[in-house]
């Protein structure tokens, strides 16, 4: 059974690069892109290495995570010019700074083709009318929402919302997050099965991907591909190659992942 991708929402790319995230800085890795120009240059290198999409964060003048609509519009304009073949996905990640209302306002203002949204963050204040209306508006506007799911309980919540008709249940795109940033929670390949076991509870087969924090990232992404999923890879989650060396840049993470795939 293939995912329901009706309408104009494109499928998730097999490989999406997450080049920067919200927390790391140049002091963590000199090749981490923090400006719009650096992010666009990184996107081009990663497209050439084999990535079909980019999950992009933006930073303010001090290098801090921001949900600035103007900066996101600038980034999307440049990505469309330089790498039009890639899928361009923005994020609403709160990082403890932004409320659900501010996250919703970003998407309604920018109206991107694709966005990743944490179900847990957006429903932190409960499942209310603004949140419900936001998800329905995205569906009606053909905005591809990838639901960030940090736990099996997050997915159970999504399944319940879909079954009750509260959440649009077609064209579902999911991201299973393994591990946690800076919390010492390891990324375990076996955790993917806990997510996939819940998918039969949905009325349609979703389009799903995995990201994983830390040095076990590659192992987890290999398991995701083995189970039929897609992957999000890059410095947002990990800067270490499979052989334990520090990656030169995001493009190297992709090229090494692709070149060392097991022979089928």
């Amino acid at each position: 059974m293939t995912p329901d991708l009706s309408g104009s929402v494109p499928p998730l790319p097999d490989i999406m690069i997450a080049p920067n995230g919200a927390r790391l800085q140049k002091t963590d890795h000199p090749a981490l892109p923090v400006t719009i120009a650096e992010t666009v240059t990184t996107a081009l290198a990663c497209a050439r290495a084999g990535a079909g999409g980019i999950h992009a964060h933006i930073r303010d003048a001090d290098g801090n995570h921001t949900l600035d609509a103007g900066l996101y519009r600038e980034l999307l304009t440049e990505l469309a010019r330089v790498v039009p073949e890639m899928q361009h996905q923005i994020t609403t990640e709160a990082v403890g700074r932004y409320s659900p209302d501010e996250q919703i306002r970003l998407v309604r203002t920018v109206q991107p083709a694709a966005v990743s949204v944490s179900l847990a963050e957006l429903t932190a204040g409960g499942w209310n009318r603004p949140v419900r209306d936001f998800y329905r508006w995205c569906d009606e506007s053909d905005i591809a929402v990838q639901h960030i799911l940090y736990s099996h309980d997050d997915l159970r919540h999504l399944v319940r919302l879909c079954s009750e008709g509260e959440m649009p249940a077609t064209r579902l795109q999911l991201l299973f997050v393994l591990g946690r940033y800076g919390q010492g929670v390891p990324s375990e390949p076996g955790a993917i099965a806990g997510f996939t076991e819940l998918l039969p509870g949905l009325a349609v087969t979703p389009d799903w991907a995995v990201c994983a924090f830390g040095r076990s990232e590659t192992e987890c992404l290999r398991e995701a591909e083995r189970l039929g999923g897609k992957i999000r890879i890059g410095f947002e989650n990990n800067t270490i190659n499979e052989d334990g060396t520090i990656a030169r840049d995001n493009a190297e993470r992709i090229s090494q992942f692709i070149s060392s795939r097991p022979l089928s």
Side-chain angles (χ1 to χ4, degrees):
M1 187 175 180
T2 57
D4 182 340
L5 301 173
S6 57
S8 60
V9 173
L12 291 170
D14 291 338
I15 298 176
M16 179 174 283
I17 185 65
N20 48 14
R23 298 172 177 86
L24 297 185
Q25 299 290 340
K26 293 283 191 182
T27 52
D28 297 295
H29 197 296
L32 184 88
V34 293
T35 67
I36 288 176
E38 289 172 343
T39 301
V40 173
T41 298
T42 297
L44 179 59
C46 291
R48 290 171 174 169
I54 178 171
H55 164 79
H57 290 246
I58 51 172
R59 306 292 184 91
D60 61 21
D62 295 320
N64 297 317
H65 170 73
T66 181
L67 296 185
D68 183 280
L71 289 176
Y72 257 129
R73 281 172 167 163
E74 182 181 345
L75 174 63
L76 291 173
T77 297
E78 286 302 295
L79 288 172
R81 181 179 66 85
V82 176
V83 282
E85 71 279 9
M86 293 186 90
Q87 185 176 125
H88 311 141
Q89 182 191 80
I90 73 169
T91 181
T92 64
E93 188 173 354
V95 196
R97 296 181 58 186
Y98 293 99
S99 68
D101 286 345
E102 290 172 309
Q103 293 170 289
I104 289 171
R105 188 178 307 120
L106 169 73
V107 182
R108 285 188 177 273
T109 301
V110 177
Q111 299 188 34
V115 61
S116 68
V117 180
S118 164
L119 181 64
E121 288 183 354
L122 220 61
T123 61
W127 182 258
N128 51 45
R129 182 171 181 176
V131 174
R132 181 192 63 196
D133 290 349
F134 167 72
Y135 282 112
R136 291 181 177 177
W137 172 79
C138 286
D139 186 60
E140 293 166 358
S141 302
D142 285 336
I143 294 174
V145 175
Q146 186 176 27
H147 300 276
I148 305 173
L149 305 168
Y150 289 104
S151 68
H152 301 154
D153 283 342
D154 281 354
L155 181 52
R156 291 188 185 95
H157 188 193
L158 179 71
V159 169
R160 180 178 62 79
L161 290 171
C162 289
S163 66
E164 293 175 353
E166 292 292 315
M167 175 79 75
T170 60
R171 307 186 299 187
L172 283 172
Q173 296 184 347
L174 313 179
L175 179 74
F176 306 149
V177 181
L178 308 185
R180 293 291 185 276
Y181 179 83
Q183 296 182 18
V185 179
S187 299
E188 299 289 348
I192 301 173
F195 286 104
T196 58
E197 288 169 359
L198 297 172
L199 297 183
L202 294 166
V204 300
T205 301
D207 199 9
W208 62 271
V210 165
C211 74
F213 285 92
R215 296 185 62 168
S216 58
E217 177 192 41
T218 301
E219 182 183 4
C220 293
L221 300 185
R222 297 252 185 258
E223 178 67 3
E225 288 195 329
R226 188 187 72 80
L227 293 173
K230 298 170 180 179
I231 69 164
R232 180 190 290 182
I233 188 172
F235 281 10
E236 175 171 349
N237 302 110
N238 168 55
T239 61
I240 307 298
N241 287 321
E242 191 170 17
D243 62 4
T245 60
I246 297 176
R248 180 181 64 250
D249 53 26
N250 280 281
E252 183 176 86
R253 286 294 296 126
I254 293 171
S255 60
Q256 290 207 354
F257 181 85
I258 291 174
S259 65
S260 60
R261 272 175 171 153
L263 296 176
S264 57

